[in-house]
Amino acid sequence: MSLTDRVLGDRQRLAYIASQAADARLNVELETEGMTLNIGPQHPATHGTLRIIARLDGEQVVWAEPSCGYMHRGYEKLAEVRTYPQVTTLVNRIDWLGSFANEVPFILAAEKLMEVEAPPRAQHIRTILFELSRIANVSLFLGDLGVQMGAITPVFFAFRDREYVLNLIEGATGGRFHPNFDRIGGLKDDLPKGWIAETKAVMKKLRTFCDQIEDLLFGNEIFQSRTRGIGVIPKDIALQFGLSGANLRASGVDWDLRRDHPLPMAWNKADWKVWTHPDGDSFARCWVRLQETREATKIVDQLLDTIPSGPIMAKVPKIIKVPEGEAWVSTENPLGEMGYYVVSRGELGPFRVKIRSASFNNISVAPWALRGVYVPDIITILASLYFILGDIDR
Amino acid sequence: MPKVPGMVKGLGVTLGTLFETVTKGANTVQYPHEKEAPPTRARGVIALHEGNCTSCMLCARSCPDWCIYIEGHKELAPPRREGGKPRKVNMLDRFDIDYALCMYCGICVEVCPFDALFWTPEYEYSEPRIADLLHDKAKLGEWMETVPEAPELEAGAEKKKK
């Protein structure tokens, strides 16, 4: 960009501000000044305590900003005073709908520093549980999506079918929401007998659920007219704001860490597809997530057939001391890229942990995407961006 | 063939589900009257086998929110063999778990070197007062009856070393 361009840009911006001020004066004269609408912190559409401050001009949003931090729990700081095994139980609670997926990057980062690798059986089971948590997370999104637009039925379907997946996770790990099953060097325990057959039956049910949601919601004319062409995020804007996961793929960027980023996990042992959508609107984001749930059931099915036998724990000392160093590992979590930057000083616990969670970046595009939309579309766009408050505030 | 409107298709799905619910029964369970059995691995409540505990404090130290309180003292016990020295035995005075703080992570059960702590899938122990959620060793001992056998493992799993 040349200097003249920048000056011209500034001039244009000044002209814009002046015209806005003129409009405001006009509004004062006509007594139709804008109003500020506070959505949240307690609002069913915010999945927790997110506050959206929207300045309206009639029915249109002039300016909107999400105000985060109402649920800040300080996990980065809490992790500094805990040992490595204790941290996994904390990071479970970041994205509470897909909690097993939160443990994996942290454990992988610690393993990278210790230079141990989980045995193949542990990698397989890890990947299966990772994908199950993705299914549990995204299937709830698919139901919740309907509720945000006034359709109550899909959420009952979603809760019914998510329960099957949660039962599986509980059967294997012992915890429905907070498995705490990953250990440095492997897993806590092996799978109980009969779990594989049960999982296969549930995956079949989940595929039926995906078909049902497609008929119930995605084919519905009201749903389509409320989401198609609403909240369009173009490719370059999505990349600039650092979107990840399905939000980025819905803008037409073929990007998936599971495929692109080699990790000691078993994704490359299954045959699956990364779905993208060229539109970048709310519908595209929802559609990509629906396809992802289907792909995840396929990954689980394929990996279940090929679980190698063997140990589930590598040889690690009983008291874990991670050697000095720094490591960054990120994985493709249900919501997008989630990564941990672990700094170790050779002690029992990490010296510093930086958590990159997907929702924080996904919600940061909201001021851009919400500008100029109508009030009911705020909820639709936020729902389709899909964030979890624990994942934003950490 | 004309395209079926999406709304009609959606109604078909709900009708199908209605038919399924009427014929096969509902998925929901009327809780206080019927109960679902949690899986054997479910982490409901921690049981304490008092005889195995040596008050070594490993569980209390490894708890991520430090909700286990242990106090103990040493006592002299009669010697095992005739004419030997009296043995020193750890006596457990207090073993409390504050379930109002517990995160149900299971680290204490895992680190226990003497198999004194066990998970049981029991879950009905809510209290009207939060202070009553502090279970002492008598109450933790009562849970021992409900500890299930560890489930068999899936094919291909390595046998646990004992």
Side-chain angles (χ1 to χ4, degrees):
Chain A
M1 197 192 272
S2 72
L3 191 69
T4 46
D5 278 350
R6 219 180 301 156
V7 171
L8 200 67
D10 281 345
R11 264 191 215 146
Q12 280 176 332
R13 210 167 301 143
L14 276 175
Y16 174 74
I17 291 167
S19 72
Q20 287 283 303
D23 279 358
R25 275 197 299 280
L26 192 70
N27 280 343
V28 170
E29 279 163 27
L30 296 171
E31 288 181 13
T32 59
E33 72 263 37
M35 100 178 220
T36 307
L37 180 68
N38 258 312
I39 304 172
Q42 296 287 335
H43 188 272
T46 58
H47 306 265
T49 48
L50 177 73
R51 177 172 166 224
I52 310 254
I53 310 154
R55 216 159 279 164
L56 308 180
D57 177 20
E59 274 283 293
Q60 246 175 343
V61 178
V62 181
W63 172 91
E65 198 182 88
S67 166
C68 316
Y70 284 88
M71 236 190 88
H72 181 63
R73 295 159 291 172
Y75 281 149
E76 292 178 7
K77 205 72 196 164
L78 285 173
E80 289 173 17
V81 292
R82 276 163 178 80
T83 61
Y84 283 92
Q86 289 175 348
V87 173
T88 49
T89 176
L90 283 181
V91 297
N92 265 175
R93 285 146 173 88
I94 290 175
D95 160 16
W96 49 64
L97 290 182
S99 21
F100 185 79
N102 296 325
E103 301 172 10
V104 174
F106 178 77
I107 290 290
L108 288 178
E111 282 181 356
K112 198 174 168 187
L113 281 173
M114 288 182 75
E115 289 171 352
V116 290
E117 198 167 283
R121 186 176 172 88
Q123 289 179 16
H124 255 75
I125 298 172
R126 251 184 214 176
T127 317
I128 291 167
L129 286 169
F130 195 103
E131 290 304 315
L132 282 182
S133 72
R134 177 188 310 279
I135 295 166
N137 188 332
V138 180
S139 64
L140 190 65
F141 160 79
L142 293 170
D144 195 48
L145 192 63
V147 171
Q148 317 250 343
M149 277 162 235
I152 198 84
T153 318
V155 82
F156 295 131
F157 283 56
F159 272 110
R160 178 195 66 194
D161 286 302
R162 185 185 71 143
E163 201 59 32
Y164 298 131
V165 183
L166 288 183
N167 285 343
L168 286 178
I169 295 176
E170 190 182 17
T173 66
R176 267 159 56 85
F177 277 96
H178 306 305
N180 193 22
F181 198 56
D182 238 356
R183 297 289 180 269
I184 292 175
L187 292 167
K188 183 182 164 231
D189 222 338
D190 214 300
L191 300 173
K193 203 169 191 178
W195 194 82
I196 290 178
E198 212 178 310
T199 312
K200 281 198 172 155
V202 169
M203 288 304 110
K204 212 180 254 175
K205 276 182 195 165
L206 258 293
R207 276 192 284 273
T208 326
F209 163 73
C210 285
D211 296 341
Q212 281 183 337
I213 283 286
E214 190 157 36
D215 285 346
L216 197 65
L217 206 60
F218 285 73
N220 191 304
E221 285 83 2
I222 301 170
F223 176 82
Q224 291 200 1
S225 60
R226 293 247 351 232
T227 52
R228 273 202 197 272
I230 305 286
V232 180
I233 300 173
K235 204 173 181 174
D236 51 332
I237 295 290
L239 287 169
Q240 279 170 23
F241 277 92
L243 296 197
S244 53
N247 291 333
L248 187 61
R249 286 192 282 278
S251 297
V253 183
D254 192 12
W255 181 89
D256 196 313
L257 281 177
R258 287 176 286 173
R259 182 198 57 193
D260 307 337
H261 198 65
L263 280 172
M265 299 281 276
W267 284 302
N268 54 1
K269 306 216 168 53
D271 177 36
W272 53 285
K273 188 176 180 257
V274 178
W275 289 87
T276 55
H277 200 287
D279 287 0
D281 55 4
S282 298
F283 185 84
R285 289 192 280 276
C286 306
W287 183 86
V288 166
R289 289 212 175 82
L290 177 73
Q291 301 304 331
E292 259 182 36
T293 317
R294 283 190 176 138
E295 288 302 318
T297 59
K298 277 183 213 162
I299 296 175
V300 171
D301 263 354
Q302 290 174 37
L303 290 183
L304 282 173
D305 289 332
T306 57
I307 296 184
S309 55
I312 45 153
M313 199 66 184
K315 281 208 166 78
V316 283
K318 204 157 193 194
I319 293 167
I320 287 166
K321 275 191 180 169
V322 174
E324 217 165 300
E326 302 175 5
W328 160 258
V329 171
S330 63
T331 53
E332 182 75 23
N333 273 40
L335 295 160
E337 181 185 1
M338 175 162 201
Y340 292 83
Y341 190 77
V342 180
V343 181
S344 175
R345 295 239 168 134
E347 283 159 18
L348 286 173
F351 176 73
R352 174 85 171 88
V353 178
K354 165 78 183 89
I355 306 169
R356 191 256 191 228
S357 58
S359 291
F360 185 76
N361 288 56
N362 287 353
I363 197 70
S364 69
V365 80
W368 191 92
L370 292 179
R371 206 177 300 151
V373 302
Y374 290 99
V375 174
D377 293 339
I378 299 178
I379 304 299
T380 321
I381 293 169
L382 287 178
S384 74
L385 278 174
Y386 193 36
F387 51 87
I388 284 175
L389 244 288
D391 208 31
I392 296 177
D393 290 343
R394 301 191 291 272
Chain B
M1 200 182 123
K3 201 175 159 279
V4 185
M7 247 179 269
V8 177
K9 248 186 181 175
L11 279 173
V13 173
T14 44
L15 261 179
T17 315
L18 174 72
F19 184 71
E20 217 172 85
T21 311
V22 170
T23 51
K24 288 185 188 165
N27 277 65
T28 42
V29 166
Q30 301 297 322
Y31 165 59
H33 310 293
E34 308 167 52
K35 282 170 195 169
E36 277 187 325
T40 42
R41 271 191 192 173
R43 300 201 292 260
V45 66
I46 296 164
L48 170 72
H49 190 290
E50 209 191 313
N52 283 357
C53 181
T54 60
S55 55
C56 69
M57 307 286 282
L58 258 183
C59 50
R61 266 190 297 161
S62 63
C63 178
D65 48 6
W66 305 288
C67 69
I68 303 178
Y69 309 97
I70 301 176
E71 278 167 26
H73 68 274
K74 286 198 170 141
E75 252 177 32
L76 290 181
R80 277 217 186 87
R81 277 177 285 111
E82 203 71 29
K85 268 191 200 164
R87 289 177 299 141
K88 270 185 187 167
V89 206
N90 287 315
M91 296 300 287
L92 192 63
D93 296 330
R94 178 183 175 211
F95 191 104
D96 293 351
I97 297 182
D98 191 350
Y99 281 108
L101 282 177
C102 180
M103 298 211 292
Y104 298 87
C105 62
I107 292 176
C108 50
V109 180
E110 212 177 318
V111 296
C112 182
F114 302 107
D115 279 345
L117 293 170
F118 299 92
W119 276 114
T120 105
E122 290 295 308
Y123 54 90
E124 291 173 313
Y125 55 95
S126 58
E127 299 280 356
R129 282 178 62 237
I130 200 162
D132 293 340
L133 279 171
L134 186 94
H135 288 199
D136 56 5
K137 64 177 180 182
K139 199 160 182 190
L140 291 171
E142 280 170 27
W143 294 119
M144 269 313 284
E145 292 168 15
T146 58
V147 175
E149 286 279 307
E152 276 185 71
L153 298 181
E154 194 70 80
E158 217 175 46
K159 287 241 167 64
K160 260 201 171 170
K161 285 160 261 161
K162 262 286 156 193

